[in-house]
Structure formats: structure tokens, C-alpha cells
Amino acid sequence: MRLFFLAALLFPLLGQTEPATVIRATELKQSPATDAQTVAQLPENTAVEALDRQGGWTHVKAASGEGWVKLLALRYGGPGSAKKGDSGIAQVFNVARTGSSGTQVTTGVRGLDEEKLANAQPNPGELEKLEKYAVARPAAAGFAAKGKLAAHPVDYPK
Amino acid sequence: MTRTALLLALLVAAPVQAQFKLPDLNINKLVDTAKNVVKATREIDENEEIAIGRDVAARLLGAAPLMNDLRVQRYVNSVGRWLASQSERPDLPWRFGVMDAPQLNAFAVPGGTIFITRGLLEKMHSEAELAGVLSHEIVHVVRKHHLKAIQKGALAHLSADAAGAALSSVNSEARNKLVSFGTEMYSRGLDKGDEFEADRLGVVIAARGGYDTYGLPAVLQTLQGMNAKDSAVALMFKTHPAPGERLDTLAAKMQPVLDSYSSQPQLRERFASETKTAR
């Protein structure tokens, strides 16, 4: 919780708007549907602010208006601009856990990195907990029904 | 005469028996080796797969423990078990775990164990996004991507003899090496083709489970917006094709499936309330 708060402080934009770029010429639609009215034609590399998502559509604000574009036509980050730096999540975690300055981040970060994987020893206690958390197939079906999830056959692509 | 013959027979027979004794032992060993070579190259059966997977899972949990949060663990297990029930291996002992690590990653272990990190869960916005990631990992298990890579590695790095023993016997030096190799594989990554396949078929599993199919593309888009040099994604980016490339591939091959099921539930609210203690 505290970690999330710290991360949120560092990234006030998290979960709100994100700078994004349209990677190919695409239509800005009034609502998230192919047959919706077209607000504007966005040329390739148009910079937009991405808001929320609905199905295959992302709600965006562009200079030429607000509307919806195909999610797959959109990439986060400004056109040609340098990407954001280290999110600092790992560092924040380190500071919060150890109370240290976090200056030894390259070696002192807790969590899962290559070195941890290379040196890992079996942890049978955690494996036992994993067993305890398991959910049986019928219980999972009940859980799905509560969420109004309906199973149906879909073939793999050829 | 009879006595002499008997004595002679004994004298002759003794060395003959001794001569046969040594090759006899060697033959046994040769048969064992041959059996192990067959074991190392044949398809590993489900019980062996599950046993190897348990050993690898225990190692991974040695690298990062589970989050101590019953509600979140049960929630992720419910979503995962439902999706696994839509796969071609619905009756494996499926286990899902949220690892207490800030890095963004997910792992599929042979036999039906799947891990996702707290760091990745924190970046998600809906149950459909969680379902997209879990479905991708479920495909790795269903198609035995890691198991095949472990077996291939065992044959390349151990003698055929030791590889066979490692695959079938639980407590041996060779088994230990095999499990170490299997764990390190999560630092090296699978073939790109396996990852693309898990993306494509994962979208289908999510669709079968009734979820909005854009969950996985949405997570890939979030990842694509992060810097590959960010320490939180360094390992995942090293072991997977670039998210932009994965999105392009999905757009090229999966657009019809994606669009046919994109209006299925996302379950944003349930995701928010069930994971709030973890976020």
C-alpha cells in the first residue's frame, strides 16, 4: 500500500492520461465502434493523449478532437521522443523494505532478477502455501458464473 | 572316471562362470544406459512432468516468495483455473501464485504451475488483462514449451545416461542439475516462436473463457510504453520479443478473433476490489 502510494507520488500520470502515438493513419471515431461517426482522420505519427480502453478501442484526445482509435494502431510514448526512464519501482521497493538510501540498487534490490534465479535454492514451505491457495475446477466455474463469464468453443487460428 | 569327469567339469565351469560374470554386469549397465537414453529422448509422461515442475516451482519460489495475501492468491487462482479449464489440458493440477516481487514478469512451469509477479499485477486495469496474461502462460504449459526446452537442455548438457536418470529419479545429482538448468531457463527465455504462439493461442483461451480478448494486447501496450532499460522490466524484456513486435504480430494474425470477442466482460470492478490489498 505504502509502496503503491510512493509509486503514485513519483508518477502522477499513472492510470490517467499517457502520451501515445498513432503508428498508422487511422480514423478517430466518436464512439468505440467501426461504424461510428468519424471525428477526424489521424495521419501516421499523430501524437495523442490516451485515456481509457474499451474492448479493442482506446479513448484519446488529439489536437483535432476527442474520440476513439483502434488499440492496435496506438503505441505509448511520444513520436521519436526518448522513452521514460527507470520507473523506480524497484528502487522504491528497496528503500521501503530496507530503509536504506537505495544507493546499492544494482545489487541490493529484493525481488526477482537473473542473479536471484541463478542462485535460488528450493523453498518447500512456499510450495506448500501454493498448494493451499489452489482453487478446484468446479469452484472456478462458480466464480466465472458470478462474473457473468460464459464459456464457448473458439478454434485456434490455422 | 565319473568322479574325474565331474572334477573336470567343475574346473572348466568355474572359470567359464567367472568369465561370464563380468560381461554380465556390463550388459546390465548397458541395458540401463539404453533405457535411460530412451527415457531422455521419448516424451516425458504427465506424472514426470508434474514432478519436474514441482521441483522447478520450489526453486522459483526460492528466488521470490508468494505474496502473503490469501484473497489475492485465491482470486488469481480462480481466474486461472477457469481459463485452464478451457484448455486442452483441463485436468492438470493447476496452481497459480502471485510472487512478492516488484519486477514485472510471469512464468509458466511444466505440469500446470503459473506465477505472476506483484509488479505486473499492479500495472493491470481489469480481470480481462489478468486473464490475457494467464492465458498466455497456460498455452506455454499446454504446448509444453518449457518442458521441451528442459528436455533438450538436459540432453545437451548431461550425458544421455544422466539425462534419463534426471528425468525419472527424484533424488539424484543429475536431477539437481536438471532443475537448476530448468530454473535458469527463465533467465534465458524460450524461442521467440513459442512466445508468439502463446500470444496467439492465449487470445483464444481468453475468448473461450468469456473475457474481452483485448486484455493481453492492453497489457502488451502498457509494457511497450515502459523503457526496456527500466530495472522492473529488464528480465522480462530480455526473455521475450519486444512488446511492439508482439502487438504487430497479434494485429496481423488475430484481428478477427480479437474483434469477434472484444465486447465480452472486462470485469474492471471485480479486479479492483479483489486486488486492492495487493496494490
Side-chain angles (χ1 to χ4, degrees):
Chain A
M1 193 62 205
R2 180 171 48 154
L3 299 179
F4 188 66
F5 180 65
L6 276 170
L9 270 182
L10 287 171
F11 299 95
L13 291 182
L14 206 77
Q16 294 177 26
T17 70
E18 285 241 32
T21 309
V22 173
I23 57 162
R24 54 181 165 264
T26 193
E27 292 177 334
L28 183 67
K29 294 287 190 180
Q30 196 163 53
S31 58
T34 315
D35 56 4
Q37 202 191 321
T38 302
V39 177
Q41 295 285 345
L42 302 181
E44 188 181 332
N45 285 325
T46 305
V48 299
E49 285 291 319
L51 304 160
D52 54 338
R53 176 181 81 86
Q54 195 175 310
W57 297 86
T58 304
H59 190 190
V60 299
K61 271 188 204 166
S64 49
E66 189 177 327
W68 298 79
V69 294
K70 286 263 191 186
L71 181 148
L72 290 171
L74 200 69
R75 295 289 184 272
Y76 286 127
S81 68
K83 280 196 172 180
K84 289 169 288 179
D86 195 302
S87 74
I89 288 170
Q91 280 81 345
V92 168
F93 190 82
N94 190 46
V95 173
R97 276 297 160 104
T98 64
S100 73
S101 68
T103 46
Q104 79 285 28
V105 286
T106 49
T107 54
V109 177
R110 253 191 65 135
L112 199 57
D113 55 19
E114 266 186 76
E115 202 187 324
K116 282 266 185 181
L117 282 175
N119 300 317
Q121 293 305 310
N123 189 336
E126 287 298 304
L127 195 65
E128 250 174 65
K129 281 188 204 163
L130 184 73
E131 290 293 316
K132 203 181 67 190
Y133 294 140
V135 168
R137 192 175 173 179
F143 163 88
K146 263 191 225 157
K148 298 193 167 61
L149 296 168
H152 44 84
V154 180
D155 287 337
Y156 288 139
K158 292 282 184 301
Chain B
M1 183 65 196
T2 337
R3 207 190 300 171
T4 316
L6 194 70
L7 259 172
L8 261 173
L10 272 176
L11 280 169
V12 170
V16 164
Q17 227 176 19
Q19 261 173 13
F20 269 109
K21 194 125 196 165
L22 214 63
D24 196 34
L25 276 177
N26 283 343
I27 283 164
N28 279 338
K29 187 158 190 302
L30 279 172
V31 169
D32 272 354
T33 303
K35 272 188 194 156
N36 280 335
V37 171
V38 171
K39 259 194 184 336
T41 50
R42 70 160 166 74
E43 192 155 348
I44 297 167
D45 76 33
E46 195 167 293
N47 287 333
E48 281 170 350
E49 177 186 352
I50 291 165
I52 291 166
R54 292 249 153 92
D55 286 355
V56 172
R59 284 285 176 116
L60 288 173
L61 288 168
L66 295 168
M67 278 189 85
N68 189 18
D69 187 324
L70 179 65
R71 184 168 179 177
V72 169
Q73 299 288 2
R74 282 286 164 120
Y75 174 64
V76 172
N77 268 283
S78 301
V79 176
R81 192 65 188 82
W82 167 246
L83 291 165
S85 304
Q86 319 307 321
S87 80
E88 286 66 35
R89 304 183 77 187
D91 295 316
L92 281 178
W94 292 95
R95 306 283 183 262
F96 298 82
V98 183
M99 286 175 153
D100 196 359
Q103 288 86 359
L104 283 69
N105 223 328
F107 306 95
V109 184
T113 297
I114 283 160
F115 296 115
I116 171 175
T117 61
R118 179 173 52 77
L120 184 52
L121 197 68
E122 280 173 356
K123 284 281 182 185
M124 294 175 174
H125 309 93
S126 68
E127 194 171 301
E129 292 190 13
L130 173 62
V133 170
L134 296 179
S135 296
H136 169 104
E137 300 303 329
I138 286 167
V139 173
H140 281 317
V141 173
V142 168
R143 292 280 160 132
K144 302 183 182 174
H145 289 154
H146 291 91
L147 187 69
K148 285 173 185 164
I150 289 175
Q151 190 175 18
K152 210 169 131 190
L155 281 170
H157 295 283
L158 297 168
S159 68
D161 198 10
L167 293 171
S168 55
S169 75
V170 181
N171 292 310
S172 69
E173 184 56 29
R175 173 59 160 245
N176 213 28
K177 271 191 200 161
L178 179 85
V179 172
S180 285
F181 174 82
T183 309
E184 276 174 42
M185 216 173 55
Y186 296 92
S187 290
R188 291 191 299 272
L190 293 165
D191 289 341
K192 263 189 173 189
D194 288 349
E195 294 298 343
F196 288 131
E197 182 178 56
D199 282 348
R200 287 197 310 276
L201 308 192
V203 163
V204 173
I205 301 272
R208 288 178 185 169
Y211 286 102
D212 164 17
T213 34
Y214 273 90
L216 180 64
V219 173
L220 291 175
Q221 204 170 47
T222 301
L223 296 175
Q224 178 267 323
M226 296 181 74
N227 189 328
K229 291 195 176 74
D230 187 328
S231 58
V233 290
L235 180 60
M236 204 235 305
F237 278 29
K238 185 196 155 193
T239 53
H240 290 77
E245 195 185 348
R246 293 170 69 183
L247 283 167
D248 291 344
T249 310
L250 279 178
K253 306 226 164 122
M254 297 300 292
Q255 197 81 61
V257 177
L258 284 166
D259 287 343
S260 301
Y261 303 97
S262 64
S263 57
Q264 297 192 134
Q266 283 191 52
L267 296 172
R268 277 172 174 265
E269 290 75 21
R270 179 156 83 173
F271 179 80
S273 72
E274 294 297 319
T275 63
K276 63 172 183 258
T277 49
R279 298 153 64 86

mmCIF file of all heavy atoms in Angstrom, chain A residues 7 20 50 54 58 61 81 84-86 88 92 99 105-106 114 116 125 136 139 143 148 155-156:
data_model
loop_
_atom_site.group_PDB
_atom_site.id
_atom_site.type_symbol
_atom_site.label_atom_id
_atom_site.label_comp_id
_atom_site.label_asym_id
_atom_site.label_seq_id
_atom_site.Cartn_x
_atom_site.Cartn_y
_atom_site.Cartn_z
ATOM 1 N N ALA A 7 4.896 5.060 -5.337
ATOM 2 C CA ALA A 7 4.982 4.981 -6.797
ATOM 3 C C ALA A 7 4.042 6.002 -7.427
ATOM 4 O O ALA A 7 4.378 6.658 -8.402
ATOM 5 C CB ALA A 7 4.622 3.562 -7.267
ATOM 6 N N ALA A 20 0.770 9.123 -26.273
ATOM 7 C CA ALA A 20 0.815 7.985 -27.195
ATOM 8 C C ALA A 20 0.902 8.481 -28.623
ATOM 9 O O ALA A 20 0.720 9.684 -28.886
ATOM 10 C CB ALA A 20 -0.419 7.113 -27.011
ATOM 11 N N ALA A 50 -3.639 9.281 -24.402
ATOM 12 C CA ALA A 50 -4.503 8.109 -24.251
ATOM 13 C C ALA A 50 -5.217 8.160 -22.902
ATOM 14 O O ALA A 50 -4.611 8.443 -21.875
ATOM 15 C CB ALA A 50 -3.682 6.838 -24.364
ATOM 16 N N GLN A 54 -11.706 0.458 -24.105
ATOM 17 C CA GLN A 54 -12.945 -0.319 -24.127
ATOM 18 C C GLN A 54 -12.848 -1.307 -25.282
ATOM 19 O O GLN A 54 -12.805 -0.908 -26.438
ATOM 20 C CB GLN A 54 -14.144 0.612 -24.294
ATOM 21 C CG GLN A 54 -15.461 -0.064 -23.967
ATOM 22 C CD GLN A 54 -16.608 0.922 -24.033
ATOM 23 O OE1 GLN A 54 -16.542 1.998 -23.449
ATOM 24 N NE2 GLN A 54 -17.646 0.558 -24.761
ATOM 25 N N THR A 58 -9.243 2.556 -27.813
ATOM 26 C CA THR A 58 -8.689 3.406 -26.763
ATOM 27 C C THR A 58 -9.237 4.820 -26.950
ATOM 28 O O THR A 58 -9.265 5.356 -28.061
ATOM 29 C CB THR A 58 -7.145 3.426 -26.826
ATOM 30 O OG1 THR A 58 -6.679 2.080 -26.756
ATOM 31 C CG2 THR A 58 -6.557 4.201 -25.657
ATOM 32 N N LYS A 61 -7.340 11.841 -26.727
ATOM 33 C CA LYS A 61 -7.503 13.259 -27.046
ATOM 34 C C LYS A 61 -6.426 13.606 -28.058
ATOM 35 O O LYS A 61 -5.235 13.377 -27.805
ATOM 36 C CB LYS A 61 -7.272 14.104 -25.788
ATOM 37 C CG LYS A 61 -8.513 14.343 -24.959
ATOM 38 C CD LYS A 61 -8.172 15.337 -23.866
ATOM 39 C CE LYS A 61 -9.125 15.193 -22.701
ATOM 40 N NZ LYS A 61 -8.631 15.891 -21.500
ATOM 41 N N SER A 81 10.287 10.675 -29.401
ATOM 42 C CA SER A 81 10.812 11.200 -28.145
ATOM 43 C C SER A 81 11.464 10.079 -27.346
ATOM 44 O O SER A 81 11.147 8.908 -27.511
ATOM 45 C CB SER A 81 9.684 11.819 -27.325
ATOM 46 O OG SER A 81 8.803 10.814 -26.896
ATOM 47 N N LYS A 84 10.435 7.081 -21.327
ATOM 48 C CA LYS A 84 10.590 7.400 -19.911
ATOM 49 C C LYS A 84 11.734 6.597 -19.304
ATOM 50 O O LYS A 84 12.047 5.514 -19.757
ATOM 51 C CB LYS A 84 9.301 7.064 -19.160
ATOM 52 C CG LYS A 84 8.170 8.011 -19.474
ATOM 53 C CD LYS A 84 6.877 7.482 -18.916
ATOM 54 C CE LYS A 84 6.363 6.293 -19.678
ATOM 55 N NZ LYS A 84 5.144 5.749 -19.160
ATOM 56 N N GLY A 85 12.306 7.142 -18.262
ATOM 57 C CA GLY A 85 13.429 6.457 -17.614
ATOM 58 C C GLY A 85 12.956 5.351 -16.707
ATOM 59 O O GLY A 85 11.824 4.900 -16.783
ATOM 60 N N ASP A 86 13.834 4.938 -15.836
ATOM 61 C CA ASP A 86 13.540 3.882 -14.883
ATOM 62 C C ASP A 86 12.329 4.291 -14.052
ATOM 63 O O ASP A 86 12.246 5.395 -13.550
ATOM 64 C CB ASP A 86 14.750 3.678 -13.979
ATOM 65 C CG ASP A 86 14.654 2.375 -13.231
ATOM 66 O OD1 ASP A 86 13.661 2.189 -12.514
ATOM 67 O OD2 ASP A 86 15.583 1.552 -13.359
ATOM 68 N N GLY A 88 11.594 3.318 -11.311
ATOM 69 C CA GLY A 88 11.959 3.447 -9.912
ATOM 70 C C GLY A 88 11.196 2.534 -8.992
ATOM 71 O O GLY A 88 11.379 2.579 -7.784
ATOM 72 N N VAL A 92 12.150 2.080 -5.154
ATOM 73 C CA VAL A 92 11.214 2.459 -4.098
ATOM 74 C C VAL A 92 11.016 1.279 -3.162
ATOM 75 O O VAL A 92 11.029 1.404 -1.958
ATOM 76 C CB VAL A 92 9.858 2.892 -4.706
ATOM 77 C CG1 VAL A 92 8.803 3.002 -3.620
ATOM 78 C CG2 VAL A 92 10.018 4.227 -5.410
ATOM 79 N N GLY A 99 14.920 0.449 4.337
ATOM 80 C CA GLY A 99 15.110 1.727 4.999
ATOM 81 C C GLY A 99 16.436 2.361 4.614
ATOM 82 O O GLY A 99 16.825 3.381 5.137
ATOM 83 N N VAL A 105 21.190 -0.105 -5.310
ATOM 84 C CA VAL A 105 20.124 -0.769 -6.056
ATOM 85 C C VAL A 105 20.589 -1.857 -7.027
ATOM 86 O O VAL A 105 19.897 -2.825 -7.225
ATOM 87 C CB VAL A 105 19.242 0.226 -6.840
ATOM 88 C CG1 VAL A 105 18.343 0.958 -5.894
ATOM 89 C CG2 VAL A 105 20.092 1.159 -7.666
ATOM 90 N N THR A 106 21.751 -1.650 -7.611
ATOM 91 C CA THR A 106 22.154 -2.634 -8.618
ATOM 92 C C THR A 106 22.389 -4.007 -8.008
ATOM 93 O O THR A 106 22.227 -5.013 -8.674
ATOM 94 C CB THR A 106 23.436 -2.194 -9.351
ATOM 95 O OG1 THR A 106 24.389 -1.807 -8.368
ATOM 96 C CG2 THR A 106 23.149 -1.055 -10.300
ATOM 97 N N GLU A 114 17.910 -11.910 -12.567
ATOM 98 C CA GLU A 114 18.705 -13.038 -13.069
ATOM 99 C C GLU A 114 19.558 -13.682 -11.993
ATOM 100 O O GLU A 114 19.673 -14.901 -11.913
ATOM 101 C CB GLU A 114 19.632 -12.542 -14.181
ATOM 102 C CG GLU A 114 19.051 -12.718 -15.553
ATOM 103 C CD GLU A 114 20.046 -12.352 -16.626
ATOM 104 O OE1 GLU A 114 20.955 -13.147 -16.885
ATOM 105 O OE2 GLU A 114 19.912 -11.248 -17.188
ATOM 106 N N LYS A 116 19.072 -13.699 -8.773
ATOM 107 C CA LYS A 116 18.215 -14.464 -7.850
ATOM 108 C C LYS A 116 17.862 -15.831 -8.426
ATOM 109 O O LYS A 116 17.854 -16.829 -7.722
ATOM 110 C CB LYS A 116 16.921 -13.684 -7.584
ATOM 111 C CG LYS A 116 17.107 -12.564 -6.588
ATOM 112 C CD LYS A 116 16.757 -13.052 -5.204
ATOM 113 C CE LYS A 116 16.821 -11.900 -4.221
ATOM 114 N NZ LYS A 116 16.518 -12.342 -2.872
ATOM 115 N N GLY A 125 8.511 -24.680 1.779
ATOM 116 C CA GLY A 125 7.449 -24.036 2.559
ATOM 117 C C GLY A 125 6.519 -23.226 1.678
ATOM 118 O O GLY A 125 5.291 -23.269 1.823
ATOM 119 N N ALA A 136 -10.363 -25.419 -6.874
ATOM 120 C CA ALA A 136 -10.805 -26.575 -7.655
ATOM 121 C C ALA A 136 -11.606 -26.126 -8.874
ATOM 122 O O ALA A 136 -12.182 -25.038 -8.882
ATOM 123 C CB ALA A 136 -11.647 -27.502 -6.785
ATOM 124 N N ALA A 139 -15.246 -24.915 -8.371
ATOM 125 C CA ALA A 139 -15.287 -23.621 -7.686
ATOM 126 C C ALA A 139 -14.952 -22.496 -8.650
ATOM 127 O O ALA A 139 -15.552 -21.410 -8.615
ATOM 128 C CB ALA A 139 -14.316 -23.620 -6.507
ATOM 129 N N PHE A 143 -17.144 -19.190 -9.760
ATOM 130 C CA PHE A 143 -16.557 -17.850 -9.755
ATOM 131 C C PHE A 143 -16.799 -17.164 -11.107
ATOM 132 O O PHE A 143 -17.140 -15.982 -11.176
ATOM 133 C CB PHE A 143 -15.059 -17.982 -9.470
ATOM 134 C CG PHE A 143 -14.235 -16.778 -9.810
ATOM 135 C CD1 PHE A 143 -14.051 -15.764 -8.878
ATOM 136 C CD2 PHE A 143 -13.625 -16.661 -11.058
ATOM 137 C CE1 PHE A 143 -13.278 -14.651 -9.192
ATOM 138 C CE2 PHE A 143 -12.857 -15.550 -11.376
ATOM 139 C CZ PHE A 143 -12.690 -14.546 -10.443
ATOM 140 N N LYS A 148 -20.470 -13.408 -14.703
ATOM 141 C CA LYS A 148 -21.215 -13.497 -15.972
ATOM 142 C C LYS A 148 -20.299 -13.838 -17.144
ATOM 143 O O LYS A 148 -20.452 -13.345 -18.261
ATOM 144 C CB LYS A 148 -21.980 -12.207 -16.255
ATOM 145 C CG LYS A 148 -23.032 -11.904 -15.193
ATOM 146 C CD LYS A 148 -23.981 -10.808 -15.640
ATOM 147 C CE LYS A 148 -25.205 -10.716 -14.761
ATOM 148 N NZ LYS A 148 -24.870 -10.406 -13.328
ATOM 149 N N ASP A 155 -12.031 -21.862 -31.964
ATOM 150 C CA ASP A 155 -10.936 -22.635 -32.540
ATOM 151 C C ASP A 155 -9.646 -21.828 -32.565
ATOM 152 O O ASP A 155 -9.666 -20.600 -32.688
ATOM 153 C CB ASP A 155 -11.276 -23.061 -33.974
ATOM 154 C CG ASP A 155 -12.309 -24.168 -34.001
ATOM 155 O OD1 ASP A 155 -12.428 -24.885 -32.974
ATOM 156 O OD2 ASP A 155 -13.002 -24.319 -35.030
ATOM 157 N N TYR A 156 -8.532 -22.545 -32.472
ATOM 158 C CA TYR A 156 -7.241 -21.909 -32.655
ATOM 159 C C TYR A 156 -7.132 -21.467 -34.108
ATOM 160 O O TYR A 156 -7.682 -22.098 -35.000
ATOM 161 C CB TYR A 156 -6.100 -22.887 -32.343
ATOM 162 C CG TYR A 156 -5.927 -23.193 -30.877
ATOM 163 C CD1 TYR A 156 -5.655 -24.489 -30.440
ATOM 164 C CD2 TYR A 156 -5.994 -22.179 -29.912
ATOM 165 C CE1 TYR A 156 -5.465 -24.772 -29.092
ATOM 166 C CE2 TYR A 156 -5.810 -22.451 -28.567
ATOM 167 C CZ TYR A 156 -5.548 -23.756 -28.167
ATOM 168 O OH TYR A 156 -5.363 -24.027 -26.846
#
